[in-house]
Amino acid sequence: MRIKVDRRVPTAIALTALVAATGGAAAALAAKPIKGATYKGKILRASNVTYPISFKVSENGKRVSKFALSNGYPVYCQGGGFGAVQPASGTITKHGTFKVKLPIYFAPVHEHQGFVIITGSFAKHSKESGKVRTDFTHSNSCNGTSSYTAKG
């Protein structure tokens, strides 16, 4: 007994693969940052608590730097005396993503307290979004993660 295969099935599979491959390529092309742009946005700590964030993309579009957290960064516990964020930069991957660890330094006692870790992803229409995570070395209860969005 012979089973007859409809020619439309392999064609449909091939077209589906082509669309998936093309869509992936289009997304990769859309994920490029604007070279030399400053991206500005907000970190959303809670429904009514936000912090401004900004950073600069290098002229060649391969690095991010000059992160500014002008009103501080999210902390997930009570108290104070948290250090200031120090400068750092990171590489933008070919997929339009980055990860930067900004050291937290408390000057009065000359102590490194941990990091503010920013992971981001560039998207279409000058948009960018990601996560901001605090990672305190000696205060694990103060650690947490918030999302942010920015536009170039």
Side-chain angles (χ1 to χ4, degrees), residues 100-138:
V100 178
K101 290 175 77 172
L102 305 171
I104 301 170
Y105 182 72
F106 191 54
V109 293
H110 307 288
E111 181 179 83
H112 170 76
Q113 292 183 320
F115 295 95
V116 172
I117 302 163
I118 302 173
T119 55
S121 179
F122 293 94
K124 294 185 207 179
H125 309 295
S126 307
K127 294 181 181 178
E128 191 275 339
S129 62
K131 302 281 183 190
V132 175
R133 179 169 57 102
T134 51
D135 185 13
F136 291 100
T137 307
H138 303 295

Side-chain angles (χ1 to χ4, degrees), residues 4-71:
K4 205 173 189 182
V5 177
D6 189 349
R7 288 185 181 168
R8 291 178 287 182
V9 173
T11 304
I13 293 170
L15 284 174
T16 302
L18 179 63
V19 168
T22 307
L29 291 175
K32 291 188 179 183
I34 300 170
K35 295 177 180 179
T38 297
Y39 282 76
K40 295 180 180 182
K42 291 185 179 183
I43 302 167
L44 180 62
R45 163 67 172 88
S47 61
N48 60 351
V49 179
T50 62
Y51 298 85
I53 183 172
S54 67
F55 61 91
K56 180 138 175 85
V57 175
S58 63
E59 294 297 325
N60 65 7
K62 294 183 179 183
R63 296 194 63 78
V64 288
S65 63
K66 298 184 181 175
F67 284 85
L69 305 169
S70 55
N71 287 350

